[in-house]
Amino acid sequence: MSSCLKYVSCRQHMTTEGNFWSKKIEISVSEAEKRTGRNAMNMQETYTAYLIETRSVEPSDGQSVLTDSLWRRYSEFELLRNYLLVFYPHIVVPPLPEKRAEFVWHKLSADNMDPDFVERRRIGLENFLLRVASHSVLSEDKIFYLFLTQENNWKETVNETGFQLKADSRLKALNATFRVKNPDKRFTELKHYGDELQSVISHLLRVRARVADRLYGVYKVHGNYGRVFSEWSAIEKEMGDGLQSAGHHMDVYAASIDDILEEEEHYADQLKEYLFYAEALRAVCRKHELMQYDLEMAAQDLASKKQQCEELATGTVRTFSLKGMTSKLFGQETPEQREARIKVLEEQISEGEEQLKCKNLEGREFVKAAWADIERFKEQKNHDLKEALISYAVMQISMCKKGIQVWTNAKECFSKM
């Protein structure tokens, strides 16, 4: 395959299962189940499996609606996403929910087998699949289709794509970051934005965790009002009923914080998705840096060969070289040897020019496709975060109104005494 076709080769992974996406399909991760099995090291382990259901909502040919289902582990979701990152480097690939709880307040369990955490991760995994399924390019990928429909031997099918061999090494990526001479300003700014986005959302989640800690304490201490009012009511005749009722309202208020903070966790998870999206943005930028680095190295190598060819043809040496010094020490090479070297260099120059042309084309295609997807992502991000923040504010308003109602009820109890 020509190097010019490397960028577009990902199209071969598109599914031909047209009948799967030609109808409206519902995708859900409907259940989570704790299981015990043996890992690759033959050691017993406990893990969570998730039930994925796909359901056609448009029956055809008079048939009833069919539902397919299969179980997947979190590690298989990770494998799917790693594959997508390699074959679609120009796309801001949706992130997975966290593997272990982060930014937790003190009453929230950090155990990844905790039922509440597993439930939130189930919702996050479903959201990941819906994100991929709604993407105009990722949704057509054959491996993604098989992830939803082929339970057995799916891992083997993914590994057969050779995606792990195509993955860029961390060392190479680090090299490109520090050695690119002419970085694209747009991608540099986008990478910086990804860093800043991750930073501000991290701070926001930390603040929210601290507020949750203190709010929990404030609500729970209201239970002391309930206990004191109840004890007080026991020694009062005329005021007893009012105090007892007010104490009941305080108990209800104290208990309500558990549901409130559980609901808050879902809004926190929406913020965490974009915390992880920031890394997906940076991944696109790193890929562009790598391509730019390869382009610059190819241009440098081509220029070097052209200079060598010119020096051989004219007999002049503009730069120090070991070969030049050797010639001075042991004598000049024969005209035939020089002509042979020139011929080899001319062939290498011709190949280098073709490779440079392909890399330039590949780079332009990458930038065009990447920037289109980045613009799509920006619209999605602005919409989602706006909705999440509005919903969070509405929830806080509702919580405050409930608090006002509790004290209004207590006031009425006191008024009747």
Side-chain angles (χ1 to χ4, degrees):
M1 180 183 293
S2 167
S3 59
C4 289
L5 299 179
K6 278 166 61 181
Y7 168 70
V8 295
S9 65
C10 63
R11 297 293 299 182
Q12 70 184 322
H13 297 276
M14 297 294 178
T15 180
T16 57
E17 314 292 342
N19 60 331
F20 184 75
W21 297 115
S22 62
K23 299 184 289 293
K24 290 183 179 179
I25 301 294
E26 286 182 353
I27 301 173
S28 65
V29 180
S30 56
E31 290 181 38
E33 182 178 281
K34 186 176 179 181
R35 294 183 176 182
T36 302
R38 294 196 172 275
N39 59 21
M41 303 293 291
N42 201 33
M43 297 176 65
Q44 188 165 307
E45 63 174 347
T46 301
Y47 62 92
T48 304
Y50 299 88
L51 180 64
I52 302 172
E53 294 185 327
T54 53
R55 176 176 176 270
S56 170
V57 296
E58 292 183 354
S60 58
D61 303 325
Q63 296 178 343
S64 59
V65 174
L66 296 177
T67 300
D68 289 324
S69 63
L70 48 76
W71 292 89
R72 295 283 185 209
R73 295 182 60 171
Y74 184 89
S75 59
E76 291 175 290
F77 282 87
E78 286 183 310
L79 183 60
L80 171 63
R81 186 170 187 274
N82 289 336
Y83 157 82
L84 294 175
L85 283 170
V86 171
F87 276 100
Y88 303 95
H90 59 290
I91 288 175
V92 185
V93 178
L96 291 170
E98 57 195 349
K99 193 164 188 175
R100 288 176 178 79
E102 299 178 31
F103 305 102
V104 297
W105 52 287
H106 83 281
K107 293 295 288 185
L108 197 68
S109 174
D111 180 8
N112 65 342
M113 300 302 288
D114 176 74
D116 291 334
F117 173 73
V118 170
E119 171 60 16
R120 290 197 308 278
R121 190 162 69 176
R122 179 196 66 77
I123 294 171
L125 291 173
E126 180 177 284
N127 184 60
F128 166 75
L129 293 180
L130 294 175
R131 293 281 197 202
V132 176
S134 64
H135 194 285
S136 60
V137 176
L138 300 181
S139 63
E140 296 182 28
D141 185 86
K142 184 176 181 180
I143 295 297
F144 175 57
Y145 165 75
L146 295 175
F147 181 85
L148 299 173
T149 59
Q150 178 182 305
E151 186 159 14
N152 297 322
N153 302 318
W154 178 79
K155 286 184 182 178
E156 289 76 5
T157 304
V158 181
N159 291 327
E160 285 170 5
T161 65
F163 84 96
Q164 290 167 321
L165 297 175
K166 298 176 187 290
D168 298 311
S169 71
R170 291 186 179 182
L171 181 61
K172 186 178 178 184
L174 191 64
N175 232 4
T177 298
F178 290 106
R179 297 180 65 181
V180 167
K181 296 177 182 177
N182 300 299
D184 188 312
K185 184 179 178 182
R186 292 174 300 172
F187 284 92
T188 301
E189 290 176 350
L190 185 67
K191 191 176 181 181
H192 178 69
Y193 171 75
D195 293 337
E196 293 296 316
L197 180 65
Q198 187 175 52
S199 177
V200 295
I201 293 181
S202 294
H203 290 157
L204 187 60
L205 288 166
R206 288 191 191 98
V207 169
R208 183 260 156 188
R210 289 199 299 269
V211 170
D213 269 329
R214 296 184 183 184
L215 200 60
Y216 183 85
V218 168
Y219 266 69
K220 288 301 182 183
V221 83
H222 277 70
N224 292 336
Y225 278 135
R227 178 178 55 79
V228 171
F229 286 152
S230 180
E231 292 174 355
W232 191 1
S233 70
I235 63 172
E236 298 286 353
K237 292 183 178 179
E238 290 81 5
M239 297 170 58
D241 290 343
L243 290 169
Q244 185 72 38
S245 297
H248 169 72
H249 289 301
M250 292 299 109
D251 290 337
V252 170
Y253 183 67
S256 67
I257 190 60
D258 296 291
D259 290 338
I260 290 171
L261 292 182
E262 180 59 35
E263 184 181 354
E264 266 199 14
E265 284 304 314
H266 294 292
Y267 292 114
D269 287 339
Q270 291 176 29
L271 289 176
K272 286 178 183 178
E273 182 186 19
Y274 280 92
L275 177 73
F276 305 139
Y277 253 127
E279 175 55 30
L281 267 182
R282 291 200 296 266
V284 175
C285 296
R286 284 196 299 270
K287 182 61 181 179
H288 181 264
E289 283 178 341
L290 276 168
M291 295 178 73
Q292 181 65 22
Y293 178 67
D294 285 343
L295 177 65
E296 291 178 4
M297 291 298 100
Q300 183 177 313
D301 184 59
L302 179 61
S304 175
K305 284 183 169 57
K306 284 183 175 180
Q307 182 179 323
Q308 291 176 46
C309 192
E310 181 186 343
E311 290 172 351
L312 282 170
T314 60
T316 59
V317 179
R318 288 185 292 173
T319 58
F320 171 82
S321 70
L322 185 61
K323 286 185 178 179
M325 182 61 71
T326 303
S327 297
K328 288 182 178 181
L329 292 173
F330 300 105
Q332 296 289 334
E333 58 192 351
T334 64
E336 291 79 10
Q337 289 174 324
R338 188 164 58 251
E339 285 299 321
R341 283 183 60 196
I342 289 173
K343 185 177 180 181
V344 169
L345 280 169
E346 286 175 342
E347 289 175 356
Q348 291 176 344
I349 288 169
S350 178
E351 291 175 2
E353 287 175 336
E354 182 61 27
Q355 287 180 1
L356 190 62
K357 180 181 177 182
C358 289
K359 286 182 182 296
N360 269 308
L361 176 62
E362 185 181 349
R364 287 195 296 271
E365 289 293 323
F366 178 90
V367 170
K368 181 181 178 182
W371 216 251
D373 197 66
I374 288 164
E375 290 300 321
R376 174 205 62 79
F377 167 75
K378 286 179 180 178
E379 288 185 16
Q380 170 195 302
K381 171 186 67 72
N382 293 343
H383 174 270
D384 289 352
L385 290 179
K386 176 183 175 182
E387 290 298 313
L389 292 170
I390 289 173
S391 297
Y392 183 72
V394 169
M395 194 205 80
Q396 296 296 322
I397 293 168
S398 174
M399 179 180 68
C400 292
K401 285 181 176 179
K402 289 177 181 177
I404 291 171
Q405 188 59 52
V406 164
W407 282 105
T408 300
N409 293 340
K411 176 190 171 186
E412 290 177 0
C413 293
F414 298 148
S415 299
K416 293 176 182 177
M417 291 192 303

